[in-house]
Amino acid sequence: MTLVVTGRSGSPGIPGRPGKSGGIALAALGPARLLAGVQGGARLDRVGHLTVHGSPPRMRLEEVIALAENIDLRGRGGAGFPFARKLRAVADAAARRKAPTAVVVNGTEGEPTCLKDKALLNHTPHLVIDGAVLAAEALGARQVVFGVTRPDAEESLRKAVAERPPDGVPVRVRRLPERFVTGEGSALTQGLDDGPALPSGRRIRTSEAGLGGLPTLLSNTETFAQLSVAARIGALGYRELGLPSEPGTVLLSLSGRLVAEVPAGAPLAEVLRLCGTDAGQGVLVGGYHGGWLSPQAAAVATVSRGSLSALGAALGAGAVVPLPRDTCPVGETTRVARWMAEESAGQCGPCFLGLPAIADTLEWVQQAGGRPALDTLQQRMASVKRRGACSHPDGTARFVASALEAFPEEFLNHSVGHGCGRPVTGVLPLVPGAGRGSGGPGGGGRSSAVALSGDTGRKLTVDWTLCRGHGLCADIAPDLVRLDSDGHPAQAAMPVPRAARAQAARAVRRCPALALRVTG
């Protein structure tokens, strides 16, 4: 098996760390389906798309459901829910309520380790649109709505919509704030309905009441792209790649720099090797709500739900990040945990209080807090589980717990003051400017220094493209924010001393326009 690079933007290969250019490479292990035709990093316009893939078929609802069942199509956004069951649930709810339906495509991808939405929407947008329209026509939906957060994805999709015939199901594109929790189902539909893009906390499935309160089929970009391919080549053709139990291909985001299409069942070690790297100290799978595989487990794992489940892991949205041997796992974990705390919706205690407490305790572990720090960390992780308004606290606690299990000696050595002497290199990707608190050798350095002083190195920053001058931030964080004569914050970035961290977190949480963020 060989890895064929089909397109590239940015630095080649993925060994080591994310490139400064922010570019990604596209590759396929074996025949490409979703990434077919994107040689040289091209974007397939409508003509190029039809040349590569042909015209999409039209199918009745029963045919789409039967196809999804035959190929065991599951949501590729992380949960892996059977797509056929989603279709049935939406159709049943619409029939019971005598209501129309809607289709929502989740292209928000707030997970920094994931790039497949970016790859599909920037290079093969028509493939995703075809799958969404196919499902919408089968359900009799009134519209297809794409939720995205990146301006390049929005631009590519709008071009694609303009290239398509005007008849058929209307396709709408909406850009939402770029936050980790924006992709949660209720947050996405609320944002598309002109509300805050935050989890509602209500246990109501979108298949019952989603966009505009209508029964809504919601899935991510890869799911609809896979449906689009399967509808063209049929179930038998689709099953020519992959495993009998998990047919087809899978998109993997590797080290936050490369998106590779591989057959289900491909050996994980082979994928890593052909991409120029190895398992290092361990491999993170499933992103920042996922967990770590040891080098031994990674050596026998395959890219499949069954294999990873047997090893105590899950592929999730397809993120795979090996940890090189020259970086500190404790510092990397702390850095990500802090970022995850800052990315929370801040609407419930486990998020608003629990996640910052976990990050604080991880810093305490780094600063030689001993057994009390490790015990407190376990207690604080337990305190957030199954108590949040959404899955963000559980996922973050799972990530930290997996790191503790994967690197027990590292955490113990740091807790007793021995450290490891290795720097925190930022190999676990975050959004630019975020989570840099642990930069010194062995996960200490800057993090230890700022923890002992009033200066945290963090700033409360304003996104001027979102700020509407409500002025609420000055009331919530009077020690940080001063308003100008027009009612907007007088500064774009305000230092956050340790004593004002709670004020900054509340200001971020309560900003009606989601225009504030803590960085640094």
mmCIF file of all heavy atoms in Angstrom, residues 237-279:
data_model
loop_
_atom_site.group_PDB
_atom_site.id
_atom_site.type_symbol
_atom_site.label_atom_id
_atom_site.label_comp_id
_atom_site.label_asym_id
_atom_site.label_seq_id
_atom_site.Cartn_x
_atom_site.Cartn_y
_atom_site.Cartn_z
ATOM 1 N N GLY A 237 -20.511 -1.487 -4.966
ATOM 2 C CA GLY A 237 -19.296 -0.756 -5.306
ATOM 3 C C GLY A 237 -18.668 -0.101 -4.081
ATOM 4 O O GLY A 237 -17.439 -0.083 -3.929
ATOM 5 N N TYR A 238 -19.506 0.416 -3.203
ATOM 6 C CA TYR A 238 -19.010 1.065 -1.997
ATOM 7 C C TYR A 238 -18.269 0.063 -1.118
ATOM 8 O O TYR A 238 -17.254 0.377 -0.501
ATOM 9 C CB TYR A 238 -20.180 1.679 -1.232
ATOM 10 C CG TYR A 238 -19.797 2.569 -0.072
ATOM 11 C CD1 TYR A 238 -19.565 3.929 -0.272
ATOM 12 C CD2 TYR A 238 -19.675 2.059 1.207
ATOM 13 C CE1 TYR A 238 -19.218 4.753 0.790
ATOM 14 C CE2 TYR A 238 -19.326 2.875 2.279
ATOM 15 C CZ TYR A 238 -19.104 4.215 2.056
ATOM 16 O OH TYR A 238 -18.756 5.035 3.108
ATOM 17 N N ARG A 239 -18.772 -1.172 -1.053
ATOM 18 C CA ARG A 239 -18.199 -2.205 -0.200
ATOM 19 C C ARG A 239 -16.902 -2.807 -0.753
ATOM 20 O O ARG A 239 -16.282 -3.654 -0.093
ATOM 21 C CB ARG A 239 -19.220 -3.324 0.029
ATOM 22 C CG ARG A 239 -20.311 -2.958 1.011
ATOM 23 C CD ARG A 239 -21.277 -4.116 1.239
ATOM 24 N NE ARG A 239 -22.119 -3.869 2.400
ATOM 25 C CZ ARG A 239 -21.765 -4.130 3.659
ATOM 26 N NH1 ARG A 239 -20.573 -4.657 3.907
ATOM 27 N NH2 ARG A 239 -22.576 -3.873 4.659
ATOM 28 N N GLU A 240 -16.480 -2.387 -1.930
ATOM 29 C CA GLU A 240 -15.222 -2.910 -2.478
ATOM 30 C C GLU A 240 -14.011 -2.462 -1.664
ATOM 31 O O GLU A 240 -12.943 -3.070 -1.734
ATOM 32 C CB GLU A 240 -15.064 -2.487 -3.936
ATOM 33 C CG GLU A 240 -16.046 -3.192 -4.876
ATOM 34 C CD GLU A 240 -15.910 -2.708 -6.305
ATOM 35 O OE1 GLU A 240 -15.079 -1.795 -6.540
ATOM 36 O OE2 GLU A 240 -16.637 -3.221 -7.172
ATOM 37 N N LEU A 241 -14.149 -1.384 -0.911
ATOM 38 C CA LEU A 241 -13.085 -0.914 -0.026
ATOM 39 C C LEU A 241 -13.541 -1.062 1.419
ATOM 40 O O LEU A 241 -14.737 -1.037 1.718
ATOM 41 C CB LEU A 241 -12.740 0.551 -0.306
ATOM 42 C CG LEU A 241 -12.139 0.888 -1.668
ATOM 43 C CD1 LEU A 241 -11.896 2.383 -1.789
ATOM 44 C CD2 LEU A 241 -10.846 0.123 -1.896
ATOM 45 N N GLY A 242 -12.585 -1.208 2.319
ATOM 46 C CA GLY A 242 -12.915 -1.280 3.727
ATOM 47 C C GLY A 242 -13.113 -2.694 4.221
ATOM 48 O O GLY A 242 -12.671 -3.666 3.603
ATOM 49 N N LEU A 243 -13.796 -2.813 5.357
ATOM 50 C CA LEU A 243 -14.062 -4.090 5.995
ATOM 51 C C LEU A 243 -15.493 -4.541 5.724
ATOM 52 O O LEU A 243 -16.365 -3.707 5.485
ATOM 53 C CB LEU A 243 -13.864 -3.963 7.515
ATOM 54 C CG LEU A 243 -12.479 -3.529 8.004
ATOM 55 C CD1 LEU A 243 -12.526 -3.203 9.484
ATOM 56 C CD2 LEU A 243 -11.465 -4.621 7.723
ATOM 57 N N PRO A 244 -15.777 -5.836 5.783
ATOM 58 C CA PRO A 244 -17.171 -6.281 5.645
ATOM 59 C C PRO A 244 -18.089 -5.651 6.685
ATOM 60 O O PRO A 244 -19.235 -5.309 6.381
ATOM 61 C CB PRO A 244 -17.059 -7.799 5.848
ATOM 62 C CG PRO A 244 -15.665 -8.141 5.441
ATOM 63 C CD PRO A 244 -14.835 -6.974 5.862
ATOM 64 N N SER A 245 -17.580 -5.481 7.896
ATOM 65 C CA SER A 245 -18.388 -4.883 8.965
ATOM 66 C C SER A 245 -18.366 -3.365 8.956
ATOM 67 O O SER A 245 -19.249 -2.713 9.533
ATOM 68 C CB SER A 245 -17.889 -5.376 10.325
ATOM 69 O OG SER A 245 -16.518 -5.037 10.503
ATOM 70 N N GLU A 246 -17.371 -2.770 8.305
ATOM 71 C CA GLU A 246 -17.242 -1.316 8.229
ATOM 72 C C GLU A 246 -16.753 -0.945 6.828
ATOM 73 O O GLU A 246 -15.572 -0.653 6.632
ATOM 74 C CB GLU A 246 -16.273 -0.795 9.292
ATOM 75 C CG GLU A 246 -16.712 -1.055 10.720
ATOM 76 C CD GLU A 246 -15.707 -0.551 11.741
ATOM 77 O OE1 GLU A 246 -15.147 0.544 11.517
ATOM 78 O OE2 GLU A 246 -15.477 -1.245 12.744
ATOM 79 N N PRO A 247 -17.639 -0.990 5.858
ATOM 80 C CA PRO A 247 -17.201 -0.747 4.478
ATOM 81 C C PRO A 247 -16.857 0.712 4.215
ATOM 82 O O PRO A 247 -17.225 1.604 4.976
ATOM 83 C CB PRO A 247 -18.417 -1.186 3.660
ATOM 84 C CG PRO A 247 -19.582 -1.012 4.576
ATOM 85 C CD PRO A 247 -19.063 -1.311 5.944
ATOM 86 N N GLY A 248 -16.118 0.922 3.127
ATOM 87 C CA GLY A 248 -15.829 2.272 2.669
ATOM 88 C C GLY A 248 -14.516 2.822 3.182
ATOM 89 O O GLY A 248 -13.644 2.097 3.663
ATOM 90 N N THR A 249 -14.385 4.115 3.063
ATOM 91 C CA THR A 249 -13.166 4.816 3.472
ATOM 92 C C THR A 249 -13.458 5.723 4.661
ATOM 93 O O THR A 249 -14.618 5.973 5.010
ATOM 94 C CB THR A 249 -12.596 5.655 2.320
ATOM 95 O OG1 THR A 249 -13.547 6.668 1.958
ATOM 96 C CG2 THR A 249 -12.285 4.792 1.111
ATOM 97 N N VAL A 250 -12.384 6.229 5.248
ATOM 98 C CA VAL A 250 -12.467 7.118 6.403
ATOM 99 C C VAL A 250 -11.518 8.287 6.156
ATOM 100 O O VAL A 250 -10.406 8.098 5.668
ATOM 101 C CB VAL A 250 -12.053 6.385 7.696
ATOM 102 C CG1 VAL A 250 -12.072 7.343 8.889
ATOM 103 C CG2 VAL A 250 -12.961 5.192 7.959
ATOM 104 N N LEU A 251 -11.968 9.489 6.504
ATOM 105 C CA LEU A 251 -11.072 10.642 6.463
ATOM 106 C C LEU A 251 -10.412 10.812 7.826
ATOM 107 O O LEU A 251 -11.091 10.871 8.855
ATOM 108 C CB LEU A 251 -11.843 11.919 6.122
ATOM 109 C CG LEU A 251 -12.225 12.151 4.663
ATOM 110 C CD1 LEU A 251 -12.890 13.516 4.511
ATOM 111 C CD2 LEU A 251 -11.033 12.045 3.738
ATOM 112 N N LEU A 252 -9.089 10.888 7.823
ATOM 113 C CA LEU A 252 -8.321 11.109 9.036
ATOM 114 C C LEU A 252 -7.638 12.469 8.966
ATOM 115 O O LEU A 252 -7.097 12.849 7.927
ATOM 116 C CB LEU A 252 -7.250 10.030 9.214
ATOM 117 C CG LEU A 252 -7.703 8.575 9.341
ATOM 118 C CD1 LEU A 252 -6.484 7.669 9.483
ATOM 119 C CD2 LEU A 252 -8.655 8.391 10.506
ATOM 120 N N SER A 253 -7.659 13.187 10.084
ATOM 121 C CA SER A 253 -6.859 14.405 10.227
ATOM 122 C C SER A 253 -5.637 14.029 11.051
ATOM 123 O O SER A 253 -5.758 13.679 12.221
ATOM 124 C CB SER A 253 -7.658 15.498 10.938
ATOM 125 O OG SER A 253 -8.817 15.841 10.224
ATOM 126 N N LEU A 254 -4.475 14.116 10.444
ATOM 127 C CA LEU A 254 -3.239 13.656 11.074
ATOM 128 C C LEU A 254 -2.384 14.840 11.508
ATOM 129 O O LEU A 254 -1.982 15.666 10.683
ATOM 130 C CB LEU A 254 -2.459 12.761 10.110
ATOM 131 C CG LEU A 254 -3.139 11.414 9.835
ATOM 132 C CD1 LEU A 254 -2.856 10.940 8.426
ATOM 133 C CD2 LEU A 254 -2.674 10.385 10.843
ATOM 134 N N SER A 255 -2.162 14.916 12.819
ATOM 135 C CA SER A 255 -1.298 15.945 13.420
ATOM 136 C C SER A 255 -1.742 17.360 13.095
ATOM 137 O O SER A 255 -0.934 18.285 13.132
ATOM 138 C CB SER A 255 0.165 15.750 12.980
ATOM 139 O OG SER A 255 0.678 14.555 13.515
ATOM 140 N N GLY A 256 -3.003 17.542 12.784
ATOM 141 C CA GLY A 256 -3.494 18.882 12.492
ATOM 142 C C GLY A 256 -2.935 19.489 11.238
ATOM 143 O O GLY A 256 -3.014 20.706 11.042
ATOM 144 N N ARG A 257 -2.362 18.638 10.329
ATOM 145 C CA ARG A 257 -1.751 19.185 9.121
ATOM 146 C C ARG A 257 -2.097 18.429 7.856
ATOM 147 O O ARG A 257 -1.974 18.976 6.768
ATOM 148 C CB ARG A 257 -0.222 19.214 9.268
ATOM 149 C CG ARG A 257 0.301 20.286 10.183
ATOM 150 C CD ARG A 257 1.805 20.284 10.191
ATOM 151 N NE ARG A 257 2.373 20.463 8.861
ATOM 152 C CZ ARG A 257 3.653 20.311 8.596
ATOM 153 N NH1 ARG A 257 4.490 19.948 9.551
ATOM 154 N NH2 ARG A 257 4.102 20.488 7.386
ATOM 155 N N LEU A 258 -2.464 17.172 7.967
ATOM 156 C CA LEU A 258 -2.697 16.360 6.779
ATOM 157 C C LEU A 258 -4.035 15.656 6.901
ATOM 158 O O LEU A 258 -4.370 15.112 7.951
ATOM 159 C CB LEU A 258 -1.570 15.329 6.610
ATOM 160 C CG LEU A 258 -1.639 14.416 5.371
ATOM 161 C CD1 LEU A 258 -0.231 14.134 4.875
ATOM 162 C CD2 LEU A 258 -2.334 13.104 5.674
ATOM 163 N N VAL A 259 -4.817 15.677 5.831
ATOM 164 C CA VAL A 259 -6.073 14.935 5.765
ATOM 165 C C VAL A 259 -5.878 13.790 4.789
ATOM 166 O O VAL A 259 -5.549 14.003 3.613
ATOM 167 C CB VAL A 259 -7.235 15.832 5.317
ATOM 168 C CG1 VAL A 259 -8.511 15.012 5.142
ATOM 169 C CG2 VAL A 259 -7.477 16.941 6.335
ATOM 170 N N ALA A 260 -6.036 12.566 5.292
ATOM 171 C CA ALA A 260 -5.812 11.376 4.478
ATOM 172 C C ALA A 260 -7.092 10.554 4.407
ATOM 173 O O ALA A 260 -7.760 10.338 5.422
ATOM 174 C CB ALA A 260 -4.686 10.527 5.063
ATOM 175 N N GLU A 261 -7.417 10.089 3.209
ATOM 176 C CA GLU A 261 -8.533 9.169 3.022
ATOM 177 C C GLU A 261 -7.968 7.751 2.981
ATOM 178 O O GLU A 261 -7.135 7.443 2.133
ATOM 179 C CB GLU A 261 -9.277 9.479 1.723
ATOM 180 C CG GLU A 261 -10.507 8.606 1.532
ATOM 181 C CD GLU A 261 -11.301 8.951 0.286
ATOM 182 O OE1 GLU A 261 -10.836 9.810 -0.500
ATOM 183 O OE2 GLU A 261 -12.385 8.369 0.089
ATOM 184 N N VAL A 262 -8.402 6.920 3.912
ATOM 185 C CA VAL A 262 -7.867 5.561 4.012
ATOM 186 C C VAL A 262 -9.023 4.575 4.072
ATOM 187 O O VAL A 262 -10.111 4.901 4.551
ATOM 188 C CB VAL A 262 -6.967 5.396 5.259
ATOM 189 C CG1 VAL A 262 -5.878 6.462 5.287
ATOM 190 C CG2 VAL A 262 -7.774 5.448 6.542
ATOM 191 N N PRO A 263 -8.828 3.337 3.604
ATOM 192 C CA PRO A 263 -9.880 2.328 3.736
ATOM 193 C C PRO A 263 -10.078 1.956 5.205
ATOM 194 O O PRO A 263 -9.107 1.875 5.968
ATOM 195 C CB PRO A 263 -9.334 1.129 2.942
ATOM 196 C CG PRO A 263 -8.177 1.652 2.160
ATOM 197 C CD PRO A 263 -7.645 2.826 2.903
ATOM 198 N N ALA A 264 -11.308 1.746 5.611
ATOM 199 C CA ALA A 264 -11.558 1.248 6.960
ATOM 200 C C ALA A 264 -10.820 -0.072 7.137
ATOM 201 O O ALA A 264 -10.822 -0.933 6.252
ATOM 202 C CB ALA A 264 -13.050 1.053 7.184
ATOM 203 N N GLY A 265 -10.165 -0.236 8.263
ATOM 204 C CA GLY A 265 -9.376 -1.434 8.522
ATOM 205 C C GLY A 265 -7.904 -1.287 8.216
ATOM 206 O O GLY A 265 -7.129 -2.212 8.474
ATOM 207 N N ALA A 266 -7.482 -0.149 7.679
ATOM 208 C CA ALA A 266 -6.057 0.059 7.411
ATOM 209 C C ALA A 266 -5.283 0.071 8.721
ATOM 210 O O ALA A 266 -5.741 0.645 9.714
ATOM 211 C CB ALA A 266 -5.843 1.376 6.665
ATOM 212 N N PRO A 267 -4.106 -0.545 8.783
ATOM 213 C CA PRO A 267 -3.303 -0.524 10.018
ATOM 214 C C PRO A 267 -2.898 0.905 10.374
ATOM 215 O O PRO A 267 -2.359 1.635 9.531
ATOM 216 C CB PRO A 267 -2.082 -1.377 9.671
ATOM 217 C CG PRO A 267 -2.508 -2.204 8.487
ATOM 218 C CD PRO A 267 -3.477 -1.361 7.727
ATOM 219 N N LEU A 268 -3.149 1.307 11.607
ATOM 220 C CA LEU A 268 -2.807 2.663 12.026
ATOM 221 C C LEU A 268 -1.311 2.913 11.918
ATOM 222 O O LEU A 268 -0.882 3.990 11.487
ATOM 223 C CB LEU A 268 -3.287 2.892 13.459
ATOM 224 C CG LEU A 268 -3.009 4.274 14.058
ATOM 225 C CD1 LEU A 268 -3.660 5.377 13.231
ATOM 226 C CD2 LEU A 268 -3.485 4.337 15.503
ATOM 227 N N ALA A 269 -0.506 1.931 12.295
ATOM 228 C CA ALA A 269 0.945 2.103 12.216
ATOM 229 C C ALA A 269 1.408 2.337 10.789
ATOM 230 O O ALA A 269 2.331 3.117 10.540
ATOM 231 C CB ALA A 269 1.645 0.868 12.798
ATOM 232 N N GLU A 270 0.751 1.656 9.834
ATOM 233 C CA GLU A 270 1.115 1.844 8.433
ATOM 234 C C GLU A 270 0.764 3.248 7.960
ATOM 235 O O GLU A 270 1.529 3.894 7.234
ATOM 236 C CB GLU A 270 0.387 0.801 7.577
ATOM 237 C CG GLU A 270 0.669 0.876 6.087
ATOM 238 C CD GLU A 270 2.028 0.322 5.712
ATOM 239 O OE1 GLU A 270 2.802 -0.061 6.611
ATOM 240 O OE2 GLU A 270 2.328 0.287 4.510
ATOM 241 N N VAL A 271 -0.399 3.742 8.381
ATOM 242 C CA VAL A 271 -0.792 5.107 8.021
ATOM 243 C C VAL A 271 0.217 6.104 8.571
ATOM 244 O O VAL A 271 0.666 7.014 7.862
ATOM 245 C CB VAL A 271 -2.208 5.417 8.549
ATOM 246 C CG1 VAL A 271 -2.562 6.881 8.303
ATOM 247 C CG2 VAL A 271 -3.244 4.514 7.899
ATOM 248 N N LEU A 272 0.601 5.945 9.835
ATOM 249 C CA LEU A 272 1.574 6.851 10.435
ATOM 250 C C LEU A 272 2.923 6.766 9.726
ATOM 251 O O LEU A 272 3.563 7.784 9.446
ATOM 252 C CB LEU A 272 1.739 6.542 11.918
ATOM 253 C CG LEU A 272 0.517 6.787 12.814
ATOM 254 C CD1 LEU A 272 0.802 6.321 14.228
ATOM 255 C CD2 LEU A 272 0.126 8.259 12.811
ATOM 256 N N ARG A 273 3.360 5.550 9.438
ATOM 257 C CA ARG A 273 4.673 5.363 8.803
ATOM 258 C C ARG A 273 4.713 6.013 7.430
ATOM 259 O O ARG A 273 5.686 6.695 7.086
ATOM 260 C CB ARG A 273 4.989 3.870 8.676
ATOM 261 C CG ARG A 273 6.384 3.585 8.126
ATOM 262 C CD ARG A 273 6.624 2.105 7.933
ATOM 263 N NE ARG A 273 5.785 1.541 6.873
ATOM 264 C CZ ARG A 273 6.059 1.649 5.578
ATOM 265 N NH1 ARG A 273 7.116 2.312 5.168
ATOM 266 N NH2 ARG A 273 5.259 1.106 4.681
ATOM 267 N N LEU A 274 3.679 5.803 6.642
ATOM 268 C CA LEU A 274 3.650 6.370 5.306
ATOM 269 C C LEU A 274 3.516 7.882 5.323
ATOM 270 O O LEU A 274 3.809 8.558 4.333
ATOM 271 C CB LEU A 274 2.515 5.744 4.497
ATOM 272 C CG LEU A 274 2.707 4.254 4.168
ATOM 273 C CD1 LEU A 274 1.455 3.686 3.523
ATOM 274 C CD2 LEU A 274 3.897 4.066 3.241
ATOM 275 N N CYS A 275 3.070 8.417 6.455
ATOM 276 C CA CYS A 275 2.994 9.871 6.595
ATOM 277 C C CYS A 275 4.267 10.450 7.199
ATOM 278 O O CYS A 275 4.323 11.640 7.512
ATOM 279 C CB CYS A 275 1.796 10.251 7.459
ATOM 280 S SG CYS A 275 0.203 9.914 6.696
ATOM 281 N N GLY A 276 5.286 9.608 7.398
ATOM 282 C CA GLY A 276 6.570 10.098 7.850
ATOM 283 C C GLY A 276 6.727 10.201 9.348
ATOM 284 O O GLY A 276 7.577 10.961 9.830
ATOM 285 N N THR A 277 5.932 9.470 10.118
ATOM 286 C CA THR A 277 6.041 9.549 11.565
ATOM 287 C C THR A 277 5.775 8.181 12.165
ATOM 288 O O THR A 277 5.606 7.193 11.446
ATOM 289 C CB THR A 277 5.064 10.602 12.132
ATOM 290 O OG1 THR A 277 5.301 10.763 13.524
ATOM 291 C CG2 THR A 277 3.626 10.214 11.896
ATOM 292 N N ASP A 278 5.765 8.114 13.505
ATOM 293 C CA ASP A 278 5.430 6.869 14.191
ATOM 294 C C ASP A 278 4.616 7.207 15.425
ATOM 295 O O ASP A 278 4.200 8.364 15.610
ATOM 296 C CB ASP A 278 6.683 6.062 14.540
ATOM 297 C CG ASP A 278 7.655 6.835 15.425
ATOM 298 O OD1 ASP A 278 7.214 7.787 16.112
ATOM 299 O OD2 ASP A 278 8.847 6.498 15.446
ATOM 300 N N ALA A 279 4.389 6.227 16.281
ATOM 301 C CA ALA A 279 3.524 6.446 17.440
ATOM 302 C C ALA A 279 4.175 7.303 18.514
ATOM 303 O O ALA A 279 3.476 7.823 19.393
ATOM 304 C CB ALA A 279 3.106 5.098 18.042
#
